[in-house]
Amino acid sequence: MPISPLAKKPLQATVAKLKRTGRALGKLKPQPVNPVQTLHDIKARRVARRTASGLQLVLADRIDFVNPAHWDALAAQTVFLSRDYLRVLEAHAPANLEPRYAMAYADGEPVAALLLQRVSVGGAQLRKPGGKKLVDPVAGLREHLLVCGNLLVWGARSMALAPHADEAQLWHAVCEAIYRVRRADKLSGQSDLAMIKDLGMAGEDVPPSLRLLGYRSVETEPDMVLTLRPEWKSWDDYLASMTSGYRSAAKKLLKDCAAASLTLRDATTEEMLARADELHALYGQVHQAQGLRLATLSPRYLPAMAAALGARFRCRVAEHADGRWVGFVTSVHDGDTTLGYYIGYDRAANADAPIYLTLLQSTVQDAIAFGSSRLSLGRTALEPKAKMGCKPEPLSCAVRHRVSALNWIVTALTKTAEHDEPPERSPFKAVA
């Protein structure tokens, strides 16, 4: 009996996944080894781990403890390293997260500004498929992770390195800062795993200076990015550049929401503050469905961020005719990029109207209004983002276990790590 088209799709997906897993496991087969070279590499890594970077370091528990002029000189690269934002993060951080800061100096000149986060991870951050709590003994797990990066945002937005400084020495200083913070925080609990988050590179390797210090690469799902054309001055311009099928689908989302008595509008900071619990409940419906939840926003985080960033922050809500908010999306203007930031929606209401997809595509309007050249929508939901015209940009993390002898486990995990591949879509007309 021939397989029906409906049955073929999940079957093909399963076969593709098995092939990817087979390729990953194949990489674990023993490879020819040069004993002399291996011994040389082991000695080189041992020496590197016990050698300081040669730069001077400053560590701090609060952003107001660092030299503001020195920090701002480097951190102007992104709003997520601005002191306005970092004060919001300190005041409204997730309950299991503590920020730390480090600066590196070369002969008195600041050459690196780093945001680090000490994260407590347990059963509350993990879920089985379907949202069920983990059973013991994993449910009682409580470990600490030290992240050079920000779990509340993606991309290279937590580290500012001076472009003229020696790259290898800077990476050595980053690792030295991680080591010093980990040692300083030991009284609060040992951090066994260190991670440098969201390096903009693909593949299985990290910069040679990081690998020399024992770090291994884990490739994650890509950042889905829409490149905005200069001629797009409005939402209508964006729609006009699409082929008829994609343009009709985009318009239909708005029509379906209107038919369900839903209106999309900007929310003021005052409204966000007054209805913070309502916003947080919508965010929670999306967040609770995720299997890995290393950090959960506090109810006041987004309203406080809106107040601190002002015109650089926008919140759009899907409002029912009776005044209820059934969805929201936030956008952040960050240099030449707009981030489609956090989103939340009522899952029951979304079954009757395409709230999520309509809010997602509305971030294009924000990016155009901000005058950005790029719209970054992050990981997950790769299919609808590809239909909007987004293309994948690779992201990876560098990880290391504090016990160097156990780094073979990290290496094995990185070999078998897999993620969904973004689909190929071409929603725009060909450009002459």
Side-chain angles (χ1 to χ4, degrees):
M1 181 182 295
I3 301 176
S4 71
L6 290 178
K8 280 184 179 179
K9 188 172 182 180
L11 179 61
Q12 291 169 346
T14 301
V15 171
K17 184 173 182 180
L18 288 173
K19 287 181 177 179
R20 290 197 302 270
T21 304
R23 287 195 296 268
L25 291 174
K27 297 174 183 177
L28 292 177
K29 294 178 180 179
Q31 301 294 324
V33 176
N34 182 333
V36 176
Q37 183 63 40
T38 299
L39 182 60
H40 178 272
D41 292 344
I42 291 173
K43 289 181 176 179
R45 288 196 293 269
R46 181 180 177 86
V47 171
R49 289 195 303 270
R50 286 158 175 78
T51 304
S53 64
L55 300 180
Q56 302 82 48
L57 297 181
V58 171
L59 307 180
D61 291 341
R62 296 288 181 269
I63 188 58
D64 289 330
F65 296 168
V66 303
N67 184 304
H70 291 175
W71 182 273
D72 292 347
L74 292 168
Q77 300 174 17
T78 171
V79 70
F80 288 94
L81 281 178
S82 69
R83 288 180 291 125
D84 289 340
Y85 167 76
L86 294 173
R87 291 189 188 103
V88 171
L89 180 62
E90 291 175 5
H92 303 284
N96 65 321
L97 185 152
E98 298 177 72
R100 299 286 187 267
Y101 308 93
M103 292 198 72
Y105 289 79
D107 299 324
E109 179 188 0
V111 292
L114 312 175
L115 167 63
L116 302 99
Q117 293 177 340
R118 174 181 161 83
V119 186
S120 177
V121 180
Q125 281 72 51
L126 306 173
R127 287 289 185 272
K128 290 181 177 179
K132 296 181 180 179
K133 292 183 178 180
L134 291 171
V135 295
D136 291 331
V138 182
L141 174 72
R142 176 59 56 184
E143 297 292 338
H144 294 97
L145 172 69
L146 184 58
V147 179
C148 181
N150 186 349
L151 293 180
L152 305 188
V153 71
W154 59 93
R157 294 182 169 86
S158 305
M159 179 187 307
L161 307 178
H164 62 275
D166 180 78
E167 181 180 357
Q169 189 178 35
L170 286 178
W171 282 124
H172 198 140
V174 169
C175 297
E176 183 179 348
I178 293 172
Y179 173 78
R180 290 200 192 183
V181 170
R182 182 177 65 79
R183 296 286 292 178
D185 281 345
K186 188 175 180 180
L187 291 176
S188 301
Q190 182 74 270
S191 296
D192 289 331
L193 198 67
M195 177 171 69
I196 302 174
K197 185 174 176 285
D198 290 351
L199 302 172
M201 58 184 65
E204 300 174 2
D205 214 347
V206 295
S209 49
L210 285 182
R211 188 166 185 84
L212 186 64
L213 292 164
Y215 283 83
R216 301 294 182 267
S217 175
V218 178
E219 189 173 350
T220 66
E221 287 184 320
D223 180 10
M224 296 299 285
V225 177
L226 172 66
T227 300
L228 277 69
R229 298 179 181 176
E231 63 268 23
W232 293 348
K233 305 300 181 184
S234 67
W235 169 251
D236 290 337
D237 292 338
Y238 166 75
L239 288 179
S241 69
M242 305 183 88
T243 58
S244 60
Y246 284 97
R247 182 170 60 251
S248 297
K251 289 181 176 180
K252 187 176 185 300
L253 293 177
L254 292 168
K255 291 178 181 178
D256 290 346
C257 282
S261 302
L262 298 178
T263 302
L264 268 63
R265 68 171 181 86
D266 287 348
T268 66
T269 302
E270 290 74 19
E271 287 179 310
M272 292 182 68
L273 288 167
R275 304 176 70 166
D277 291 338
E278 193 173 346
L279 281 175
H280 191 67
L282 294 171
Y283 153 77
Q285 291 198 42
V286 176
H287 183 65
Q288 291 296 328
Q290 298 175 358
L292 179 63
R293 298 176 290 106
L294 292 181
T296 300
L297 299 187
S298 69
R300 297 288 170 176
Y301 172 75
L302 290 176
M305 195 172 168
L309 300 187
R312 296 170 291 180
F313 187 97
R314 179 169 292 178
C315 177
R316 181 177 284 104
V317 295
E319 186 174 64
H320 193 271
D322 60 11
R324 288 182 296 118
W325 286 359
V326 293
F328 77 92
V329 67
T330 55
S331 297
V332 179
H333 187 201
D334 189 30
D336 66 346
T337 302
T338 291
L339 270 73
Y341 200 38
Y342 279 97
I343 193 167
Y345 58 91
D346 184 295
R347 289 188 170 275
N350 191 65
D352 299 324
I355 299 170
Y356 169 73
L357 295 177
T358 307
L359 288 169
L360 186 67
Q361 77 171 11
S362 75
T363 58
V364 177
Q365 294 174 263
D366 294 338
I368 294 173
F370 281 138
S372 300
S373 59
R374 302 167 75 253
L375 171 63
S376 170
L377 292 176
R379 307 176 177 95
T380 72
L382 305 182
E383 174 73 25
K385 293 170 184 177
K387 290 181 177 179
M388 291 169 55
C390 294
K391 299 297 182 182
E393 292 188 358
L395 290 176
S396 62
C397 299
V399 295
R400 182 186 184 278
H401 198 280
R402 72 176 179 84
V403 181
S404 57
L406 297 181
N407 266 321
W408 69 270
I409 298 176
V410 175
T411 301
L413 290 174
T414 62
K415 295 289 187 181
T416 56
E418 64 173 60
H419 58 82
D420 293 335
E421 295 297 327
E424 289 286 340
R425 298 289 181 268
S426 301
F428 300 119
K429 301 173 184 175
V431 178

